Amino acid sequence: MRSLLTVSAAATLLFLAGAVPAVADDEGGADRSFTIEDPRITESSGLAASRIHPGVYWTHNDSEDGPYVYAVDSRTGRTVATITMEGVGEPRDVEAISTGPDGNLYVGDIGDNLDGSWDHVWIYRFPEPKRLADATVRATQFDVTYADGARDAEAMMVHPRTGRVYIASKNEDGGGLYEGPEKLTAGGANVFRRVGEVPWVTDGAFSPDGEDLVLRSYFSARGYAFEDSRLGDDRAVSVPLQGQSESVTYTADGAAMMFGSEGERSEVVRVEVEGGGKESSPNGGGGGTSPGDGEDGGATKGTATGGAVAVVVIVLAVLAAKRRRG
């Protein structure tokens, strides 16, 4: 458990960065903040909203778990289906999951903790199950290489309109956004080419209408306009204070973003999107608009709230320190 001083320091950093969000739960029950209750899920490293099961989120462990993907109901935090992938090799470092407009789930075995030592990584694809129950499914495995050499990555996003796959590499000095081929092919290398520059990234997600891309890191996130397969204007996006910030996805209707983290009984936190969920996307999700900017709208209210929380935590830390000295 973190000391009060550590928590207050983290809260202060987020407050000064203007990155504490306005958080709200869906009163209807689904797509609200929740805790992952399954004791098997200790390293939730990716998150994807189901397109056919309202309120259900797909996730997976980071490594050393096997070819498993879990469906978690946001209304209860409980696992409602465990999917075992067959027809693929032994997963090595699974870091991301995304839904595509073709009705498939894409699983990104794209991590490389040795910072680019593997000459290829993998993406697995299988149809999203229409029935939520434990099952074994045959997945297609795609080999992935990068045009400019191997690298570490934790973010993989499938565009909700074109179905094209993108990967954001992870580097503390800044990474790259990589675009895959128009269609992935099995049996040969799928070469991803650098099309943009990004900051340190642990996960990313497209809005359901495909017009915005949000990329998160451990302490912050940025939203980008996305047009003609390229990054446009960027802006700050509010994020919750979490232990090890690993994942993000939009809700299926685009009204909010869901931010996840690793650890036992890890929390997934809903953050409203200003003006989100106004249109319908062709794959069944709502069309979200721009993520809330940290400088106006709902995010501003969230920053004020976060600031108050940070101040309270700091005051408590100071009082505790004085009490110990007394």
Side-chain angles (χ1 to χ4, degrees):
M1 181 180 293
R2 293 180 184 80
S3 69
L4 187 58
L5 185 58
T6 301
V7 174
S8 65
T12 303
L13 285 173
L14 288 175
F15 171 54
L16 293 176
V20 180
V23 178
D25 287 347
D26 178 7
E27 295 180 358
D31 297 319
R32 61 184 178 184
S33 299
F34 65 95
T35 299
I36 297 176
E37 300 289 351
D38 193 330
R40 298 172 298 173
I41 305 174
T42 59
E43 293 184 313
S44 175
S45 191
L47 202 63
S50 171
R51 291 297 184 262
I52 57 178
H53 303 292
V56 169
Y57 289 84
W58 295 96
T59 189
H60 53 80
N61 280 313
D62 190 336
S63 58
E64 300 180 359
D65 183 41
Y68 307 118
V69 178
Y70 306 93
V72 180
D73 191 336
S74 62
R75 286 157 287 216
T76 63
R78 296 175 183 171
T79 299
V80 291
T82 300
I83 303 301
T84 303
M85 294 182 291
E86 67 175 11
V88 302
E90 185 68 25
R92 190 164 48 190
D93 192 356
V94 181
E95 293 287 356
I97 187 167
S98 184
T99 54
D102 54 2
N104 286 311
L105 285 169
Y106 292 72
V107 181
D109 191 357
I110 57 175
D112 187 345
N113 291 327
L114 300 178
D115 199 22
S117 63
W118 296 328
D119 60 1
H120 71 280
V121 291
W122 300 298
I123 292 174
Y124 313 124
R125 186 185 71 191
F126 62 90
E128 181 175 8
K130 295 181 180 179
R131 178 172 172 266
L132 289 175
D134 294 352
T136 298
V137 301
R138 176 158 293 276
T140 303
Q141 177 173 300
F142 302 99
D143 291 350
V144 170
T145 62
Y146 300 95
D148 54 358
R151 58 205 59 248
D152 188 21
E154 292 191 6
M156 179 201 69
M157 300 75 60
V158 181
H159 195 275
R161 292 191 182 277
T162 67
R164 203 157 194 164
V165 182
Y166 295 82
I167 294 174
S169 63
K170 180 182 178 184
N171 189 296
E172 62 180 326
D173 296 323
L177 179 68
Y178 289 82
E179 182 181 67
E182 186 174 352
K183 291 186 179 297
L184 298 179
T185 57
N190 294 272
V191 180
F192 279 62
R193 304 184 185 281
R194 197 175 185 120
V195 294
E197 305 303 312
V198 298
W200 178 285
V201 175
T202 60
D203 200 14
F206 282 108
S207 59
D209 62 6
E211 295 180 2
D212 290 280
L213 173 65
V214 61
L215 298 173
R216 82 165 302 179
S217 65
Y218 291 121
F219 297 108
S220 63
R222 298 203 71 79
Y224 298 82
F226 196 81
E227 187 176 0
D228 297 327
S229 300
R230 296 296 180 267
L231 297 172
D233 294 338
D234 69 301
R235 58 209 174 275
V237 172
S238 296
V239 295
L241 175 62
Q242 293 177 302
Q244 186 168 343
S245 307
E246 285 285 336
S247 57
V248 64
T249 187
Y250 277 81
T251 56
D253 62 4
M257 289 178 285
M258 306 291 281
F259 290 89
S261 62
E262 286 191 358
E264 296 181 2
R265 300 191 78 250
S266 60
E267 291 186 346
V268 177
V269 179
R270 175 185 172 106
V271 177
E272 299 298 315
V273 171
E274 183 71 14
K278 292 182 178 180
E279 301 175 2
S280 295
S281 72
N283 64 337
T289 59
S290 301
D293 194 325
E295 297 178 359
D296 58 17
T300 302
K301 291 183 286 186
T303 302
T305 303
V309 172
V311 171
V312 170
V313 173
I314 294 169
V315 170
L316 289 175
V318 172
L319 291 175
K322 288 182 177 179
R323 189 178 300 114
R324 287 194 297 271
R325 287 197 297 270

